Amino acid sequence: MEIDVALVRVWAQRAGELLLHSYFNRVIPERKLDTSVVTMADRAIEDWLREQILAHYPHHGVIGEERGPIGLEREYVWVIDPIDGTSSFVAGLPMWAVSIGVLWRGEPLIGVIYLPVLRDCYWAIAGEAAFWNDTPIHVAPPEPPSPNDWIAIPSTFHRAYTIHYPGKVRVLGSVAADCCYVARGKAQAAIIGRAKVWDVAAGWVIVQAAGGVVCPLEGTLPDWSTLLHTVRLPTPVVIGHAEQVQRVCAWVRRISV
Amino acid sequence: MEIDVALVRVWAQRAGELLLHSYFNRVIPERKLDTSVVTMADRAIEDWLREQILAHYPHHGVIGEERGPIGLEREYVWVIDPIDGTSSFVAGLPMWAVSIGVLWRGEPLIGVIYLPVLRDCYWAIAGEAAFWNDTPIHVAPPEPPSPNDWIAIPSTFHRAYTIHYPGKVRVLGSVAADCCYVARGKAQAAIIGRAKVWDVAAGWVIVQAAGGVVCPLEGTLPDWSTLLHTVRLPTPVVIGHAEQVQRVCAWVRRISV
């Protein structure tokens, strides 16, 4: 592999520190202005990440939330989200992340997620171990939930679904963070809404390297080449240990309208 | 008033920093051990807070999560929660808080909440302004929710209720944090489960000083003298701007069994 993961971790951390110190909690109270400040932060960081990537790997492709895709047909494609969890960021909540994924020949290869407020880095290379900073991590074993166990769910889940999970649910506000806490075995599973590719590219590498699976809640998932072009997932997904994911899927019901 | 609020803020911050640096993310992976480590942290910090309080105000009463009540009939009673959001704390999540409330003649007078991971202090004196660090804060105006607005709900809400709120919901993992984000106008409202007195004593002062109300979801709320003895609230409550609270109450339905 031609990519230096230690360098990607440094980029994610620098981007996160820049966001934390120059933009976080500096957003102006009026809600419309919030949006433009966060867009400014998002763009500045995406541009900075793209510069690093293309300076080191000029023949790679890049797709991100704020700027157009470049070279999606290339062997390596970087899939970046400068701020995953922008509405958490705007709300002054701690759960938002810098997410950097790399695909190799259409398959996720590297995932690096940095949570600036916690100063935590989660990362993995496909087929190897997953790490929280320098500690190897694993998804939780598929035990039946006790009342203190928890899963993460999307912030809009209540509008379309009910869930009969006997433990706690949490809404963290960042899909990347959902993946991290599943990979670390803190959440038993997470339900992720119809996310965009840059929300999940890094997280799924980490979850899978930690022993978890990604399972569509409805229908099937297309391959990554298709996802890069459709951008948004066609279905919510459930992530976690394979057996736990099956349980969670069985607890979810679509609200009949 | 005989209490120095600046001093209370210093205590909350010192307690929070001690938790952050000596206990947070040091919990041992096995879940049962987690519980005992967090109990140890909870007790150590509660003891330290009690020492500060009783050294400065020896004739005051104190009630906390970990140690028995002292002098609940006294003019001033401190209501303390060394770690509000213990399961967030155990999970390595960022949302947990040191919560210090003071009642005067059975009415909440002072609220100080410190969020160590964010290094944010929220505080208020009843009848005066509420503050996020040194910035005055106010609850959100009672606008109809747009899709990006959010309310906080409890982690076990899905077991007994549905909610038809048209925005987002979040489960932050700390009742004290729920109060802070409502007071700051970031959350439109919060639904708080059947919390204990030390979870809400500080937060309600802050929410009310920020222009909000506390409204029982079902039935009525007893006075604080009663609450100090029952410890647990008899009903969930909704906090926020009075008009928004009415809307939220109307969106909640108990699941028929």
Side-chain angles (χ1 to χ4, degrees), chain B residues 174-199:
Chain B
S174 153
V175 166
D178 291 345
C179 294
C180 295
Y181 283 84
V182 167
R184 193 170 152 197
K186 294 296 191 179
Q188 284 201 314
I191 302 171
I192 288 172
R194 291 191 51 216
K196 293 187 174 170
V197 283
W198 41 78
D199 300 328

Side-chain angles (χ1 to χ4, degrees), chain A residues 112-182:
Chain A
V112 174
I113 293 172
Y114 188 71
L115 296 165
V117 174
L118 283 160
R119 294 173 173 73
D120 277 338
C121 186
Y122 292 80
W123 60 282
I125 300 168
E128 302 184 14
F131 293 87
W132 161 53
N133 301 317
D134 297 307
T135 305
I137 52 176
H138 306 279
V139 297
E143 291 166 10
S146 75
N148 278 322
D149 286 319
W150 60 281
I151 61 172
I153 65 170
S155 61
T156 56
F157 201 68
H158 66 289
R159 297 192 208 157
Y161 299 93
T162 60
I163 179 150
H164 299 279
Y165 181 71
K168 298 178 177 182
V169 303
R170 295 193 192 285
V171 181
L172 302 185
S174 152
V175 166
D178 291 345
C179 294
C180 295
Y181 283 84
V182 168

Side-chain angles (χ1 to χ4, degrees), chain B residues 211-235:
Chain B
V213 301
V214 174
C215 180
L217 190 60
E218 293 155 7
T220 54
L221 280 177
D223 61 27
W224 270 90
S225 307
T226 309
L227 285 177
L228 285 186
H229 291 92
T230 58
V231 172
R232 192 178 282 281
L233 304 185
T235 165

Side-chain angles (χ1 to χ4, degrees), chain A:
Chain A
M1 185 181 58
E2 64 180 68
I3 295 172
D4 176 4
V5 180
L7 185 62
V8 184
R9 287 178 63 187
V10 169
W11 293 345
Q13 184 173 344
R14 285 206 190 142
E17 283 170 4
L18 195 59
L19 285 166
L20 191 61
H21 299 300
S22 303
Y23 296 98
F24 184 59
N25 273 331
R26 308 258 164 137
V27 287
I28 299 147
E30 285 88 53
R31 269 183 282 179
K32 283 186 187 166
L33 288 174
D34 273 4
T35 311
S36 60
V37 172
V38 79
T39 303
M40 199 191 307
D42 243 341
R43 286 192 183 152
I45 299 301
E46 182 164 330
D47 288 347
W48 184 83
L49 285 172
R50 280 175 183 252
E51 274 167 32
Q52 311 312 310
I53 293 165
L54 296 176
H56 285 77
Y57 308 107
H59 54 294
H60 288 191
V62 186
I63 181 172
E65 182 163 24
E66 292 295 331
R67 305 293 187 191
I70 302 169
L72 294 189
E73 75 296 344
R74 295 183 193 163
E75 187 175 19
Y76 288 92
V77 177
W78 295 65
V79 187
I80 59 179
D81 195 355
I83 309 176
D84 179 76
T86 45
S87 61
S88 275
F89 185 91
V90 171
L93 289 166
M95 270 311 187
W96 48 273
V98 179
S99 176
I100 305 177
V102 185
L103 308 184
W104 178 69
R105 299 188 177 170
E107 291 295 326
L109 173 68
I110 295 171
V112 174
I113 293 172
Y114 188 71
L115 296 165
V117 174
L118 283 160
R119 294 173 173 73
D120 277 338
C121 186
Y122 292 80
W123 60 282
I125 300 168
E128 302 184 14
F131 293 87
W132 161 53
N133 301 317
D134 297 307
T135 305
I137 52 176
H138 306 279
V139 297
E143 291 166 10
S146 75
N148 278 322
D149 286 319
W150 60 281
I151 61 172
I153 65 170
S155 61
T156 56
F157 201 68
H158 66 289
R159 297 192 208 157
Y161 299 93
T162 60
I163 179 150
H164 299 279
Y165 181 71
K168 298 178 177 182
V169 303
R170 295 193 192 285
V171 181
L172 302 185
S174 152
V175 166
D178 291 345
C179 294
C180 295
Y181 283 84
V182 168
R184 193 170 152 196
K186 293 296 190 180
Q188 285 201 313
I191 302 171
I192 288 171
R194 290 191 52 215
K196 295 189 174 169
V197 284
W198 41 79
D199 299 329
V200 297
W204 288 3
V205 175
I206 298 169
V207 167
Q208 289 170 336
V213 300
V214 174
C215 180
L217 189 60
E218 293 155 6
T220 54
L221 279 177
D223 61 28
W224 271 90
S225 307
T226 309
L227 284 177
L228 284 186
H229 291 92
T230 58
V231 171
R232 192 178 281 280
L233 304 185
T235 165
V237 300
V238 185
I239 57 174
H241 188 288
E243 286 174 47
Q244 202 65 268
V245 160
Q246 292 310 314
R247 278 203 194 101
V248 170
C249 287
W251 282 320
V252 171
R253 290 276 177 282
R254 189 177 266 281
I255 295 172
S256 46
V257 215

